[in-house]
């Protein structure tokens, strides 16, 4: 203590030197640790660079693909080609934008309910005006039975999409009316639709979360509603609205109807066609049309070509004679009596989901 009191400056300098020594040692340790980490990272990058330059074996027997300037350029070109191909596919699926069928964006539940009832009345009148028969016991409600049969009810959600379904059904029904050859009997059993507004959104964390469909809880479907099993819907890539047209008539009506829908320029896709026998009750109902008109009309459009080919068959075939206007009349005797068939045509209306801008709340995944 006496030495400390006699030489305070010396001991202060000694203490400072010891502190500096400890601090220098600690700084050296930190620098050495950082250098070690840098060396490890550098070795890892060098190994990755060596691996990339050496190349990657895509498949046994194929040459190695390395990260060279030529391969990078090829990859950029391939990405551009793929992007263009995707854009072309989206454009072909979406169809002509001028022919797109869209529902009213600002429609509400009350207005939609009024439009549904008015449209069903108009369709029934159109059927009456064109002598197109409807089921006598269960009048056709064109997919909207739950709202037509229950006064005061109306859709609770998906107003624009339900209105879009109404417009699509209007188009399909008018195409079917125009597809019947003159004098040929035709009975519309129903136009069924996918009841998207009755589907309940599945809560997150459960199977199928974030989607509507058969896996979701639904209210009781009506007889003119169905959950499509075969569809072109691909969640996030292609959206569809499915419809099922059920009618009884002859093959020329079916062929013309399918061709009209396929060649309409609108994004329709026919996912299924079923053919069956008409019931005796339906046959009796259709028999009110004169048999001469029914057989003559069905035979006059009959063709020996493919199902989608509506061109006339060559008049040189035995029993086939060309008539004025390029039509073909089949005069061959029938081995079996001509009977109407029951047809079911399932049709998807395709649309491309709108792309959300990057960084928008809709584009960010929910947590």
């Amino acid at each position: 203590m006496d030495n400390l009191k006699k030489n305070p400056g010396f001991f202060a300098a000694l203490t400072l030197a010891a502190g500096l020594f400890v601090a220098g040692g600690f700084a050296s340790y930190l620098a050495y640790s950082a250098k070690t980490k840098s060396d490890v990272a550098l070795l890892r990058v060098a190994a990755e660079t060596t691996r990339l330059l050496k190349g990657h074996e895509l498949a046994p027997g194929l040459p190695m693909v390395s990260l060279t300037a030529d391969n990078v350029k090829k990859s950029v070109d391939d990405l551009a080609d793929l992007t263009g191909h995707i854009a072309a596919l989206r454009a072909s699926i979406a169809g002509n934008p001028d022919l797109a069928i869209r529902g009213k964006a600002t429609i509400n539940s009350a207005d939609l309910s009024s439009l549904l009832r008015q449209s069903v009345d108009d369709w029934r009148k159109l059927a009456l005006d064109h002598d197109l028969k409807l089921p006598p016991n269960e009048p056709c409600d064109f997919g909207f039975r739950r709202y037509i049969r229950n006064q005061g009810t109306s859709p609770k959600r998906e107003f624009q999409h339900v209105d879009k379904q109404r417009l699509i059904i209007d188009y399909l029904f008018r195409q079917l009316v125009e597809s019947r050859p003159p004098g040929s009997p035709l009975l519309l059993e129903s136009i069924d639709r996918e009841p998207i507004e009755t589907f309940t959104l599945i809560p997150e964390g459960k199977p199928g979360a974030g989607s509507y469909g058969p896996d979701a809880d639904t209210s009781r479907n009506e007889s003119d509603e169905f959950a499509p099993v075969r569809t072109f819907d691909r969640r996030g890539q292609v959206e569809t609205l499915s419809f099922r047209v059920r009618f009884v008539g002859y093959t020329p009506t079916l062929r013309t109807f399918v061709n009209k829908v396929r060649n309409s320029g609108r994004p329709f896709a026919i996912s299924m066609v079923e053919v069956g026998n008409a019931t005796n009750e339906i046959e009796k109902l259709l028999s009110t049309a004169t048999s001469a008109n029914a057989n003559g009309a069905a035979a006059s459009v009959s063709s020996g070509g493919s199902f989608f080919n509506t061109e006339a068959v060559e008049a040189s075939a035995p029993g086939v004679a060309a008539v004025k206007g390029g039509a073909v009349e089949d005069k061959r005797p029938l081995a079996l009596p001509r009977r109407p068939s029951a047809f079911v045509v399932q049709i998807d209306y395709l649309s491309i989901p709108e792309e959300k801008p990057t960084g928008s709340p809709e584009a960010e995944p929910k947590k």
Side-chain angles (χ1 to χ4, degrees):
M1 284 298 288
D2 293 339
N3 293 331
L4 179 63
K5 292 179 180 179
K6 292 179 180 179
N7 302 286
F10 173 76
F11 283 101
L14 186 62
T15 303
L16 178 62
L20 291 175
F21 177 77
V22 172
F26 183 71
S28 298
Y29 172 76
L30 292 179
Y32 178 77
S33 298
K35 177 181 179 299
T36 302
K37 291 181 180 180
S38 299
D39 290 342
V40 172
L42 182 61
L43 290 174
R44 186 183 300 113
V45 171
E48 181 70 12
T49 303
T50 302
R51 185 185 66 81
L52 293 175
L53 293 176
K54 181 180 178 182
H56 177 73
E57 186 180 13
L58 297 177
L62 294 180
M64 305 287 282
V65 178
S66 58
L67 186 63
T68 62
D70 184 55
N71 285 336
V72 170
K73 181 179 182 304
K74 290 180 180 178
S75 299
V76 172
D77 294 340
D78 289 343
L79 179 60
D81 291 342
L82 180 60
T83 303
H85 182 62
I86 293 176
L89 286 177
R90 292 173 65 91
S92 63
I93 292 173
N96 188 343
D98 296 333
L99 299 178
I101 301 176
R102 302 181 178 89
K104 295 182 179 179
T106 58
I107 195 169
N108 57 43
S109 178
D111 292 341
L112 178 57
S113 178
S114 176
L115 282 175
L116 293 178
R117 298 180 188 280
Q118 181 63 46
S119 294
V120 171
D121 290 340
D122 292 343
W123 295 331
R124 289 175 178 172
K125 184 178 183 300
L126 179 65
L128 181 63
D129 293 342
H130 289 79
D131 194 28
L132 186 150
K133 297 186 180 299
L134 300 176
N137 300 326
E138 291 288 334
C140 178
D141 296 313
F142 298 88
F144 299 106
R145 176 171 178 164
R146 66 170 60 247
Y147 307 120
I148 302 302
R149 303 290 180 91
N150 301 287
Q151 296 294 329
T153 58
S154 59
K156 303 303 181 185
R157 60 173 71 90
E158 299 288 347
F159 304 141
Q160 182 178 359
H161 285 86
V162 174
D163 187 52
K164 182 177 180 178
Q165 287 183 319
R166 177 184 67 87
L167 297 175
I168 294 173
I169 289 175
D170 178 79
Y171 177 81
L172 293 176
F173 179 56
R174 293 181 185 277
Q175 297 306 303
L176 179 63
V177 171
E178 296 175 3
S179 299
R180 178 182 60 170
S184 179
L186 178 62
L187 180 141
L188 176 67
E189 291 187 298
S190 178
I191 296 182
D192 308 331
R193 71 180 180 93
E194 182 182 2
I196 55 174
E197 79 282 6
T198 67
F199 291 175
T200 303
L201 183 65
I202 304 176
E204 288 196 41
K206 294 185 178 180
S211 64
Y212 296 88
D215 295 333
D217 296 330
T218 66
S219 57
R220 181 178 62 87
N221 288 345
E222 298 290 350
S223 59
D224 56 0
E225 300 173 348
F226 76 108
V229 177
R230 180 178 302 173
T231 176
F232 287 90
D233 184 84
R234 296 295 180 270
R235 186 62 57 185
Q237 300 177 3
V238 179
E239 296 178 350
T240 64
L241 292 174
S242 294
F243 303 87
R244 195 169 56 188
V245 183
R246 297 188 283 125
F247 62 96
V248 178
Y250 292 114
T251 304
T253 302
L254 171 68
R255 179 167 53 241
T256 304
F257 174 66
V258 169
N259 284 333
K260 277 180 170 290
V261 173
R262 290 176 65 248
N263 301 325
S264 64
R266 291 178 165 85
F268 285 113
I270 298 175
S271 57
M272 182 184 66
V273 176
E274 293 182 351
V275 182
N277 296 323
T279 63
N280 294 332
E281 181 182 2
I282 296 298
E283 285 196 33
K284 291 180 181 179
L285 186 62
L286 290 177
S287 65
T288 56
T290 61
S291 59
N293 287 341
N295 292 336
S300 64
V301 191
S302 182
S303 170
S306 65
F307 181 82
F308 296 115
N309 183 13
T310 56
E311 295 180 359
V313 297
E314 296 185 9
S316 59
V320 179
V323 296
K324 185 177 180 180
V328 175
E329 182 178 1
D330 192 346
K331 295 184 177 180
R332 293 171 293 184
L334 297 176
L336 297 174
R338 186 182 298 275
R339 299 181 58 185
S341 299
F343 302 107
V344 179
V345 183
Q346 182 176 322
I347 301 171
D348 283 358
Y349 185 87
L350 311 180
S351 59
I352 299 297
E354 295 183 3
E355 293 184 342
K356 305 298 182 182
T358 303
S360 66
E362 295 85 354
E364 296 179 358
K366 295 183 179 181
K367 299 181 180 179

